[in-house]
Amino acid sequence: MEKRIEVKSIREGVYLLWRLKYPEEAQQFIFTTVKNTRLINERIHTIIKKALNDGDVNVIQKVNRYLSLFRQRKFDESQLIWLKRDSSASLYFWLWLIQQHVTIYDDNSDFSNHFFRENRKIKFTQDEIFNFIPSAIEQAYQAALFLLDILPNNNLGRKSDIVSNIRQDYFDYQSRFNTDFVWLVDAENENIQWVMAQFIQHERILRYFRGINFSLEIQRIALPIIYSLWDARRDTKILFLTALRKRYANMKHRKKVADKSPVNIRISESSKKTLVKLEKLFNRNRADVIEHLIEKAWAERNAKI
């Protein structure tokens, strides 16, 4: 391939593959751990050669134009250090860009352009977006950077504004997360999936992310972010979150008592008062205290045998 149209980085090559309508190849290089520009140049060379053989005499001109546009609008990664060091921030960045600048649709019949002309949003079919969804949190930065690179008709000044807005929104989100979703921090995987199912059943909260299948690892971090990005009134969001936490607590309680049987006993008033004191001492409910005392007594008995 001619020297003047060789890409200088994986990032340039991924953008070029996207513009040449080779999304599967772009995805392979976005998430690869080996950044080999020789391989991506070889793939691009093969694509150009095929296009020339098929009679596309303007392919080299198109490649040069795409690379020129990319280099003019390329955002300096040194200004994204805060993003690269924080995987949660990268995922927030990626989801923010999808909500604001991406449309996901079902129709595959008209794919003549990557962008909707009327609103200049990036358009993905549901099949195509699958190629650019990070499956592990470590991939979120590259996924976010790719969307930033392909934003339509955005000069560097506009991209700087977008990055600044996302950065401020993310720091605001962090302070809210500590109070809004602290109850989900140590949740087991099955409980994370249960909460995601509640989001899916809601008619609005996932409307910008329909068709995106998140891995379990991504779900754990994405749930609070999606809630934060939900463009509903604050009182509506608080009402939803309050109801969700109650349903979550009830669900966990039902699982906890599913294999337990009720025991009806009568105890003296003094024993009842002592039981109340033990509840406060152990910071447990009455059933847990009684079960703990029974297990402790049985363990001491077995130790003496």
Side-chain angles (χ1 to χ4, degrees):
M1 186 165 56
E2 296 179 31
K3 179 72 174 176
R4 62 189 178 90
I5 59 172
E6 285 189 352
V7 299
K8 301 175 183 178
S9 66
I10 296 295
R11 190 175 163 191
E12 282 189 2
V14 165
Y15 175 83
L16 187 55
L17 288 169
W18 161 257
R19 293 304 304 266
L20 292 173
K21 299 185 175 68
Y22 284 84
E24 293 84 2
E25 285 82 351
Q27 183 266 351
Q28 292 173 11
F29 287 100
I30 285 176
F31 297 132
T32 184
T33 56
V34 180
K35 304 301 182 182
N36 191 325
T37 55
R38 179 184 61 81
L39 291 177
I40 200 167
N41 271 303
E42 287 178 356
R43 181 59 187 137
I44 291 169
H45 175 73
T46 301
I47 291 170
I48 292 174
K49 184 176 180 180
K50 180 180 183 303
L52 289 171
N53 290 339
D54 291 343
D56 185 359
V57 296
N58 297 318
V59 63
I60 294 179
Q61 182 181 354
K62 285 191 294 186
V63 167
N64 279 316
R65 179 164 57 86
Y66 293 151
L67 286 179
S68 177
L69 287 172
F70 176 81
R71 289 163 185 169
Q72 291 170 20
R73 302 169 183 173
K74 179 182 177 182
F75 196 85
D76 188 351
E77 281 192 74
S78 66
Q79 299 179 50
L80 298 174
I81 296 299
W82 64 275
L83 185 68
K84 197 169 188 177
R85 290 176 177 172
D86 185 346
S87 55
S88 295
S90 295
L91 187 60
Y92 188 97
F93 198 105
W94 181 70
L95 289 167
W96 192 101
L97 288 175
I98 287 179
Q99 176 173 301
Q100 299 294 328
H101 296 283
V102 171
T103 297
I104 303 170
Y105 69 110
D106 296 322
D107 186 14
N108 287 296
S109 62
D110 181 16
F111 196 62
S112 59
N113 196 292
H114 285 296
F115 314 114
F116 287 111
R117 297 186 184 280
E118 62 273 15
N119 57 18
R120 301 307 295 166
K121 280 194 170 185
I122 308 166
K123 64 180 183 180
F124 289 96
T125 64
Q126 288 194 348
D127 289 339
E128 188 182 25
I129 191 67
F130 176 80
N131 295 309
F132 302 104
I133 301 172
S135 58
I137 193 61
E138 293 80 10
Q139 297 177 343
Y141 174 77
Q142 294 300 334
L145 186 62
F146 168 68
L147 287 185
L148 183 65
D149 283 342
I150 66 174
L151 287 180
N153 288 354
N154 279 307
N155 58 32
L156 280 177
R158 174 58 179 149
K159 286 188 176 182
S160 293
D161 290 341
I162 290 172
V163 171
S164 296
N165 289 338
I166 300 175
R167 188 171 187 267
Q168 185 57 56
D169 285 353
Y170 175 68
F171 290 145
D172 291 344
Y173 154 78
Q174 278 188 311
S175 64
R176 294 192 303 271
F177 171 78
N178 290 333
T179 55
D180 287 345
F181 279 89
V182 66
W183 50 278
L184 203 59
V185 171
D186 297 322
E188 297 177 356
N189 288 341
E190 60 180 343
N191 294 337
I192 293 293
Q193 292 174 313
W194 183 91
V195 176
M196 177 56 82
Q198 306 306 302
F199 276 38
I200 292 172
Q201 292 170 21
H202 195 279
E203 62 178 8
R204 300 288 290 176
I205 196 169
L206 282 173
R207 68 189 181 111
Y208 294 108
F209 310 109
R210 299 291 180 189
I212 297 180
N213 294 318
F214 299 101
S215 68
L216 184 56
E217 178 183 348
I218 296 295
Q219 282 183 38
R220 179 177 293 276
I221 303 173
L223 283 168
I225 297 175
I226 291 170
Y227 171 81
S228 178
L229 294 175
W230 178 24
D231 54 353
R233 287 172 38 176
R234 181 62 180 163
D235 58 344
T236 301
K237 296 177 72 169
I238 292 174
L239 184 63
F240 169 81
L241 187 60
T242 301
L244 176 63
R245 291 183 65 176
K246 288 181 179 178
R247 292 197 301 271
Y248 181 79
N250 289 336
M251 177 272 296
K252 291 188 68 177
H253 177 71
R254 287 194 299 271
K255 286 185 177 180
K256 186 176 181 180
V257 302
D259 58 348
K260 296 183 178 181
S261 302
V263 177
N264 297 318
I265 58 174
R266 293 182 180 274
I267 59 177
S268 67
E269 187 63 26
S270 61
S271 294
K272 183 177 179 180
K273 290 179 180 179
T274 303
L275 185 57
V276 171
K277 292 177 182 178
L278 289 172
E279 290 174 32
K280 295 178 180 179
L281 177 65
F282 296 146
N283 192 27
R284 296 182 180 182
N285 61 42
R286 184 162 299 180
D288 286 344
V289 169
I290 294 173
E291 190 170 342
H292 169 72
L293 293 174
I294 292 171
E295 291 176 353
K296 182 180 178 182
W298 185 251
E300 291 175 351
R301 181 263 181 190
N302 288 337
K304 294 177 181 178
I305 297 177

